[in-house]
Amino acid sequence: MQEAHARGMTADLIVGSGWPLGGRFLTIDQQTQRVRLVKREVVGPAVLTLSREELAAPDPTRRARDEVPPARQELVFLRLLPGGALAGAFQPGAEALPPADQATLRLEIPPGPHTLYVGFREQGFTHVKLGAPGADGPVLDHFNADAVRHYLNELATKLGPALGGKLGNGLRALFIDSLELDHANWTGDLPAVFAQRRGYDLRPYLPFVLDADVASAESPFMRDVRRARHDFVRTLVELFEERFLATFVSFCEAQGVLARVQAYGRETHPLHGSMRVPLPEGETWLWHDEKNPTRIRVESTVVNKYVSSAAHLTGKARVSFEAMTNAVPVFRETLADFKQGLDASLLAGLNHPILHGFNYTPPDAGFPGWVRFGSYLNERVPWWPAFRHFADYAARLGSVLRATKPEAQVAVLAPRADEWARFGMLYQPFPETHYPWYQYALASALAHAGYGSDFVSERVLQDAHIVEGRLTYGPQSYELIVVEHATSLEPDTAEVLVNFVARGGRVLFVGQPPVEAPGLRDAARQGARVSAALASLAAQRNGRVHVVEAPDESQGYPGLVRWVQRHMVATGIKSPVELSEVSPQVAQIHHRDERHDLFFFANLDVDEAHSFEARFPAARGQPWRWDPETSLRQPYPHVREGRVAIHLAPQTSLLLVFQAEAPRGEFASGTWPAPGDPPQGVSQTPLRGPWTVAFHPANQGAPFTRTFPTLIDLSQQLDPALAAFGGVAIYTTHVEGHHGSEELILDLGAVHAVSELIVNGQPLGMRWYGRHRYALGTHLRPGPNTISVKVSTGLANLMKAKKDDPAAQRWAHWFAPLPTGLLGPVTLSQSEPAP
């Protein structure tokens, strides 16, 4: 912490060392709990004799990777249900729970098929993943406030004296990483709390609530079970928020630090958890791309929009994310992947990347040394000198977005109650199912069509205010509420929708409007309130209530974007940006402050450029381009009659800022160094070589030289030095210049991964993402010219070749060799006019 502060850096501390939280010092009653269901199909008449051990045999297909024999195990139900009972009215079945001291169970099975439901309450059934000594051992019971306080006090007692009594004397925040509670679903007083909050006894329904195999069955029996399952999940979510998150936030306040939490998992509401904490955090991942094995697939996870929505609703400017989390394609990552992940995350509303990587490794550990998880980010990566360009890009964009307010017109309500009822607790940020299929994608599709949106919840709607036809919560307000295919709503929510429309708001129901209320207690009366409210809503449509068919899943995400564009026009909601062409690869976000309207556009297409015109009806002032790579600002030149022409090459972005006055400071002059596609008809001259290549292997390997008549993929060569190359390769050739006034573009074609261009000894810049194209200007002179291209590669093929190094082989043994070097084709073409 002292070293961080001396360098002007922020120091946060992770609570524990692995995940989820736990420790050797926890008593059994402070350890994580679950009720585990075991089902057996039996046929009578028969007498079944089983030991408790035989009954408790786990299902190997559902075993968590860090499960251990539980510290304590108790049989809590032994229920026999006749075959076919699920098709009728609810019945709890016959309870055959034996006395606690009876080791062997003798059970008489009546004639016919039956299902035996066996439930075990297990404590301490899983341990911390990758916990360091002291922070390893049993996982904490996050639903037990006393256990949570005990755990946190242990932390403060051990560390507080070294920090002058309070953790806040040296730390900005305490951080809680992935929850990953391995299906924990119980705590000691859950039955009593459930009865108090939900108004009935959970025990008759518990075996069937835990049975995920019958989520979609339709019968009176299963309708009751789904209502009880909703109540069960809702109770656990409430307890987690009250007993864990609230306890942690209060502890942090007392210690003078902020609470930074990835507040999602199975046991949290994906919105409410992040609303509770001062520093909410999401995550973005790098994966192996199954469709194109030579590439990495970048994923801004589905929970990110929920995290950013929570921050927007509660007025939090900083929304961090675990950036480019990498547990699979280690050594394959590039800065182009990082930019792709950053742009996608910014579009989802996050604005502060915290990189998952930078492996510290001492020199005596060898090369690559210590590699646990995360992208390999240190000075041994050949492209490391270019990392500062990504860091500057991320820092400038993040600072601008954190200093301005996100704008949104649409509030999106997902059918959370239906999801809980049918599927129980789904895992975030990788839910086992998307219900409905477009739940998470709809907000993104709105951004592609030019609209801003946030996810809301029923609680948010009930606590919001309605002012002049807008739904207002905290600093955010919305003109339209989109209800995503919900069959049930709480009555208070349905009545909010009625009030919203009556006072000028607009509602769009995807699929049929809700027909019932969630939960089991008093279901008929509560459902009647919902029906009455929806009937009232239908009677006062007046163009402000829309019921539309659900988007066709077979058309995928592009079809969803088209669906959004079509139906948003019908609602009459005006977007802040009107696009001549909507693409599923190009999206935008809109921010404002007192003097500026900011629009950030990003093309997430790795291969294709996209051009379109945009109008900004409500933007104030004239458009300027603020360049986050260089910090330069300049009036945007491509404006005609209120239309702004935009060209986005692959993986490029644009920060367009409308301002009434010229900004203070230094400004760029001339043209922007980001040419678009060559116009049709412009001749392209290939540079055929030969190429002399000077190879400088990573980790100070011995340099060597090769000459190639044409460019080649180094990974496909029989020469071991080339096939296993990772480092810096400098390609040199010669080209004849000629007299002429035209300016030329040098296009390097395919490059893996960072390029730098030197013409006649003069550096002309670096490309670390997208197309590697350079404006030569006047640097190509008449007569002979020397062109050198410095390519800084990744380490994947080198690590793959290190057969005797366990650290390298752990991450690199499984994938095929990756294309490496300058592949071209390299061409010269005339510079095109500005778009």
Side-chain angles (χ1 to χ4, degrees), residues 419-764:
E419 179 185 275
W420 288 346
R422 289 190 174 274
F423 307 106
M425 297 188 291
L426 298 179
Y427 175 58
Q428 298 286 357
F430 305 111
E432 293 84 348
T433 186
H434 292 191
Y435 182 82
W437 73 268
Y438 55 86
Q439 177 192 150
Y440 306 95
L442 182 59
S444 177
L446 285 163
H448 286 277
Y451 297 88
S453 68
D454 286 317
F455 281 113
V456 294
S457 68
E458 297 200 55
R459 187 166 81 189
V460 166
L461 293 181
Q462 293 167 20
D463 292 343
H465 302 285
I466 301 170
V467 181
E468 297 180 353
R470 300 183 70 95
L471 184 89
T472 301
Y473 187 101
Q476 295 295 90
S477 67
Y478 312 96
E479 303 171 65
L480 173 70
I481 300 172
V482 176
V483 181
E484 291 187 316
H485 212 98
T487 61
S488 65
L489 281 181
E490 296 175 20
D492 289 348
T493 306
E495 289 161 6
V496 167
L497 297 181
V498 174
N499 190 26
F500 180 55
V501 171
R503 298 173 67 177
R506 300 170 188 267
V507 175
L508 186 148
F509 291 101
V510 185
Q512 292 302 308
V515 296
E516 60 186 10
L520 184 60
R521 184 185 182 190
D522 207 8
R525 187 176 68 85
Q526 299 295 345
R529 284 181 60 193
V530 173
S531 297
L534 269 295
S536 171
L537 202 60
Q540 57 166 315
R541 290 190 179 184
N542 297 323
R544 295 196 297 272
V545 178
H546 303 264
V547 180
V548 301
E549 81 288 353
D552 185 350
E553 185 174 4
S554 67
Q555 297 183 16
Y557 188 72
L560 178 62
V561 173
R562 294 190 295 270
W563 181 94
V564 163
Q565 186 181 25
R566 181 171 71 254
H567 290 297
M568 286 302 295
V569 170
T571 66
I573 300 297
K574 301 296 184 183
S575 67
V577 52
E578 299 172 358
L579 305 173
S580 64
E581 179 182 342
V582 172
S583 166
Q585 295 293 342
V586 177
Q588 60 77 44
I589 52 174
H590 176 207
H591 280 228
R592 303 187 85 183
D593 64 12
E594 294 179 354
R595 297 183 299 117
H596 305 94
D597 280 275
L598 299 91
F599 294 86
F600 174 71
F601 291 88
N603 178 13
L604 301 179
D605 197 319
V606 177
D607 300 308
E608 300 295 331
H610 292 272
S611 298
F612 53 93
E613 290 185 347
R615 295 178 64 92
F616 302 86
R620 301 159 294 171
Q622 299 301 310
W624 286 60
R625 175 176 177 172
W626 291 12
D627 187 349
E629 293 188 60
T630 65
S631 79
L632 298 177
R633 295 172 288 176
Q634 182 187 55
Y636 192 77
H638 314 303
V639 182
R640 183 174 57 209
E641 299 177 352
R643 301 192 307 274
V644 178
I646 297 175
H647 176 90
L648 295 175
Q651 288 190 312
T652 60
S653 59
L654 170 66
L655 180 60
L656 201 62
V657 181
F658 286 79
Q659 53 194 56
E661 75 287 347
R664 295 182 294 272
E666 298 295 327
F667 314 118
S669 61
T671 59
W672 290 99
D677 293 324
Q680 292 186 356
V682 172
S683 62
Q684 293 182 318
T685 304
L687 270 63
R688 302 188 184 281
W691 297 85
T692 300
V693 188
F695 292 94
H696 301 270
N699 200 39
Q700 299 180 337
F704 60 95
T705 302
R706 298 284 191 274
T707 299
F708 304 131
T710 58
L711 294 172
I712 59 173
D713 177 0
L714 302 179
S715 71
Q716 300 302 311
Q717 305 310 303
L718 296 178
D719 183 340
L722 299 180
F725 180 73
V728 175
I730 303 174
Y731 293 72
T732 300
T733 193
H734 303 279
V735 61
E736 286 292 322
H738 57 84
H739 294 280
S741 58
E742 75 274 13
E743 293 190 358
L744 297 178
I745 298 296
L746 182 68
D747 189 332
L748 298 182
V751 182
H752 305 272
V754 173
S755 71
E756 298 176 65
L757 179 66
I758 303 100
V759 177
N760 298 322
Q762 181 70 33
L764 295 188

Side-chain angles (χ1 to χ4, degrees), residues 311-316 405-406 472-477:
H312 299 166
L313 289 162
T314 51
K316 301 181 180 78
K405 177 182 176 296
T472 301
Y473 187 101
Q476 295 295 90
S477 67

Side-chain angles (χ1 to χ4, degrees), residues 138-352:
V139 168
L140 171 70
D141 179 0
H142 290 59
F143 302 107
N144 181 336
D146 290 338
V148 173
R149 279 190 287 269
H150 173 73
Y151 186 92
L152 296 173
N153 288 336
E154 186 81 7
L155 173 73
T157 300
K158 297 291 176 63
L159 292 180
L163 296 173
K166 279 192 175 183
L167 303 181
N169 293 334
L171 295 166
R172 178 193 71 148
L174 291 180
F175 171 51
I176 292 180
D177 197 359
S178 302
L179 297 171
E180 301 186 33
L181 300 188
D182 292 333
H183 299 276
N185 62 10
W186 203 259
T187 194
D189 64 344
L190 180 61
V193 171
F194 183 94
Q196 179 184 23
R197 297 189 183 205
R198 307 283 87 91
Y200 64 94
D201 188 353
L202 171 65
R203 287 173 295 182
Y205 301 92
L206 183 60
F208 317 109
V209 162
L210 298 176
D211 186 2
D213 296 333
V214 291
S216 60
E218 291 294 343
S219 68
F221 188 110
M222 283 314 305
R223 282 196 289 274
D224 282 356
V225 168
R226 281 198 291 271
R227 291 179 179 279
R229 183 182 291 121
H230 163 272
D231 292 342
F232 178 67
V233 175
R234 178 176 176 176
T235 304
L236 286 171
V237 168
E238 290 172 353
L239 292 181
F240 187 89
E241 187 174 344
E242 297 165 12
R243 295 180 174 184
F244 179 75
L245 288 178
T247 303
F248 178 63
V249 171
S250 297
F251 170 81
C252 289
E253 290 172 349
Q255 288 291 327
V257 295
L258 297 173
R260 176 179 146 217
V261 187
Q262 293 179 1
Y264 41 83
R266 295 188 185 280
E267 48 290 317
T268 54
H269 190 292
L271 184 71
H272 297 165
S274 291
M275 292 176 71
R276 171 73 72 161
V277 298
L279 293 176
E281 182 162 302
E283 57 188 89
T284 295
W285 281 70
L286 304 181
W287 299 105
H288 174 65
D289 190 337
E290 297 288 348
K291 295 181 179 179
N292 187 341
T294 65
R295 287 181 175 172
I296 283 177
R297 177 172 63 85
V298 180
E299 179 183 8
S300 173
T301 57
V302 297
V303 79
N304 285 348
K305 186 62 179 177
Y306 276 100
V307 173
S308 68
S309 298
H312 299 166
L313 289 162
T314 51
K316 301 181 180 78
R318 186 178 300 273
V319 196
S320 61
F321 62 105
E322 183 180 307
M324 282 54 89
T325 307
N326 190 351
V328 176
V330 180
F331 296 124
R332 298 178 53 182
E333 61 277 341
T334 69
L335 291 177
D337 299 321
F338 279 27
K339 183 179 186 298
Q340 185 90 347
L342 177 71
D343 287 349
S345 303
L346 296 177
L347 292 171
L350 310 179
N351 58 37
H352 181 201

Side-chain angles (χ1 to χ4, degrees), residues 41-57:
E41 302 300 327
V42 294
V43 178
V47 175
L48 191 64
T49 303
L50 291 170
S51 68
R52 291 176 183 264
E53 290 73 20
E54 290 174 313
L55 278 174

Side-chain angles (χ1 to χ4, degrees), residues 367-392:
F367 175 62
W370 296 350
V371 189
R372 186 160 215 176
F373 278 108
S375 296
Y376 191 72
L377 300 178
N378 58 49
E379 64 280 3
R380 295 181 176 184
V381 179
W383 47 255
W384 178 251
F387 179 81
R388 63 185 178 88
H389 295 287
F390 166 78
D392 288 346

Side-chain angles (χ1 to χ4, degrees), residues 759-820:
V759 177
N760 298 322
Q762 181 70 33
L764 295 188
M766 173 186 289
R767 299 289 182 266
W768 51 278
Y769 67 89
R771 290 177 178 165
H772 292 246
R773 306 181 69 211
Y774 294 84
L776 296 183
T778 60
H779 293 280
L780 201 63
R781 61 198 179 200
N785 293 264
T786 300
I787 292 181
S788 295
V789 180
K790 181 179 178 181
V791 177
S792 300
T793 78
L795 291 173
N797 294 342
L798 177 57
M799 294 299 109
K800 189 172 182 63
K802 292 172 71 68
K803 301 296 185 184
D804 297 328
D805 189 311
Q809 288 300 293
R810 176 189 176 190
W811 298 104
H813 75 278
W814 58 275
F815 54 80
L818 299 181
T820 301

